[in-house]
């Protein structure tokens, strides 16, 4: 299975012109570009190899939900992927596992490939890997609880293991400290076991996120269990992003 590289631009860049330029520079195969909602329409015509994803979605189809975007709206725009449960949404906007579960179900039902983010905060990781596993297991059990009767679309699920403390902040010029590849691998194997045994999901992709850059990408992607990377800050640096993508093509 070819590795998948997801570019999470977060709330960047500030102008449409820059967004278009960045999209053109990031237009590679096996790449999903997740721009801000406001740029989706203009950049979808600029890329031919990359797919377009959204950074979030709301679970209702339409109605009085000021500021929200539905799965149908995104689908009608030609978006194929959607991120749900990113730790920034959980932390800054108080998204709970229950809300993440509703978003995930709405998006799966609409036919999206859903990128579900899970990962423990620093205070938990300081207690050790077993504590991190317990935390991530709870996130997964709640987020996926409604999926048991949704087969076969659960193969559209992509889980991102993204330890919160490893995220760089998604700024162009800030580099964070990624997880140790062996420890991320252990967590990813653990996630796979849960998907297999609790949800009968045997074929889904699990990727790593958190300060992936041009230098460390290979340390994660070399493992067959790590199906790709979710890239924040480095996805805003076109040259570095291209080097991550090329590394991924090598595996
Ligand atoms: P980062 O962000 O690569 O800047 O750490 C990853 C993410 O939060 O998606």
């Amino acid at each position: 299975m070819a590795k998948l590289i997801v570019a999470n631009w977060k709330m960047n860049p500030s102008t449409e012109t820059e967004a278009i330029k960045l999209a053109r520079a990031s237009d590679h195969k096996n790449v999903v570009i997740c721009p801000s909602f406001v740029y989706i329409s203009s950049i979808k015509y600029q890329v031919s190899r990359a797919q377009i994803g959204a950074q979030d979605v709301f679970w209702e189809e339409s109605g009085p939900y000021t500021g929200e975007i539905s799965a149908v709206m995104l689908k009608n725009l030609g978006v194929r992927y959607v991120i749900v449960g990113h730790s920034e949404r959980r932390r800054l906007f108080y998204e709970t596992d229950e809300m993440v579960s509703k978003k995930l179900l709405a998006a799966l039902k609409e036919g999206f490939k859903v990128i579900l983010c899970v990962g423990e905060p620093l205070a938990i990781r300081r207690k050790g890997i077993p504590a991190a596993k317990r935390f991530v297991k709870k996130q997964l059990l709640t987020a996926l609880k409604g999926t048991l009767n949704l087969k076969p679309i659960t193969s559209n699920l992509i889980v991102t293991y993204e330890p919160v403390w490893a995220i760089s902040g998604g700024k162009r010029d800030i580099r964070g400290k990624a997880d140790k590849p062996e420890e991320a691998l252990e967590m990813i194997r653990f996630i796979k076991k849960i998907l297999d045994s609790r949800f009968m999901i045997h074929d889904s992709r699990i990727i790593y996120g958190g300060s992936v850059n041009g230098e460390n990408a290979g340390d994660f992607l070399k493992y067959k269990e790590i199906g790709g990377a979710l890239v924040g800050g480095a996805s805003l640096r076109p040259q570095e992003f291209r080097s991550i993508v090329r590394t991924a093509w090598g595996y």
Side-chain angles (χ1 to χ4, degrees):
M1 180 155 63
K3 309 276 180 182
L4 186 74
I5 304 297
V6 183
N8 178 12
W9 289 358
K10 309 192 180 187
M11 202 171 71
N12 300 292
S14 311
T15 67
E16 190 175 42
T17 311
E18 284 175 282
I20 288 173
K21 203 168 147 209
L22 188 57
R24 286 187 184 147
S26 317
D27 185 20
H28 312 295
K29 67 173 179 188
N30 306 328
V31 162
V32 180
I33 299 173
C34 300
S36 160
F37 290 123
V38 296
Y39 300 138
I40 289 175
S41 295
S42 42
I43 73 163
K44 71 177 179 187
Y45 298 110
Q46 307 291 334
V47 296
S48 55
R49 292 173 284 260
Q51 304 278 346
I52 305 288
Q55 297 176 14
D56 188 25
V57 64
F58 190 58
W59 58 81
E60 294 290 347
E61 243 180 63
S62 62
Y65 307 102
T66 303
E68 293 300 326
I69 315 273
S70 73
V72 185
M73 289 174 174
L74 292 171
K75 194 169 154 182
N76 290 338
L77 274 182
V79 173
R80 305 268 304 276
Y81 288 76
V82 65
I83 298 173
V84 300
H86 192 280
S87 64
E88 283 150 16
R89 299 220 49 93
R90 295 176 187 260
R91 188 165 47 88
L92 298 169
F93 305 101
Y94 307 104
E95 278 192 15
T96 62
D97 288 332
E98 298 288 340
M99 291 158 79
V100 172
S101 168
K102 286 198 215 178
K103 292 182 171 195
L104 178 111
L105 288 180
L108 279 178
K109 284 182 185 158
E110 220 41 73
F112 281 88
K113 291 199 179 283
V114 182
I115 303 164
L116 165 67
C117 299
V118 294
E120 79 289 349
L122 186 58
I124 301 285
R125 181 61 166 253
R126 283 207 171 115
K127 295 182 187 160
I129 292 268
K133 285 183 176 168
R134 280 194 296 278
F135 187 92
V136 165
K137 182 175 181 182
K138 182 174 166 287
Q139 286 184 320
L140 281 172
L141 294 185
T142 313
L144 296 176
K145 66 181 176 204
T147 59
L148 271 173
N149 49 6
L150 277 188
K151 283 201 138 269
I153 55 176
T154 43
S155 60
N156 282 340
L157 178 71
I158 297 161
V159 177
T160 306
Y161 171 59
E162 192 165 62
V164 178
W165 48 272
I167 295 173
S168 74
K171 295 221 176 76
R172 210 184 285 263
D173 45 357
I174 295 181
R175 285 159 197 261
K177 198 167 164 14
D179 197 359
K180 290 196 188 89
E182 316 76 55
E183 295 188 356
L185 177 66
E186 181 176 346
M187 292 299 290
I188 281 172
R189 286 189 173 138
F190 175 72
I191 290 168
K192 178 157 178 41
K193 228 161 70 191
I194 294 175
L195 296 181
D196 277 338
S197 62
R198 302 291 283 259
F199 297 98
M200 287 4 120
I201 302 175
H202 310 300
D203 45 4
S204 74
R205 186 191 286 276
I206 307 174
I207 68 179
Y208 169 76
S211 295
V212 173
N213 58 41
E215 274 154 39
N216 66 18
D219 301 339
F220 294 95
L221 297 173
K222 69 181 181 194
Y223 295 110
K224 69 171 188 323
E225 293 93 334
I226 304 187
L230 178 59
V231 185
S235 71
L236 302 170
R237 305 188 286 267
Q239 265 195 335
E240 185 166 1
F241 186 67
R242 192 175 315 122
S243 119
I244 296 171
V245 171
R246 281 177 189 275
T247 303
W249 288 347
Y251 291 104

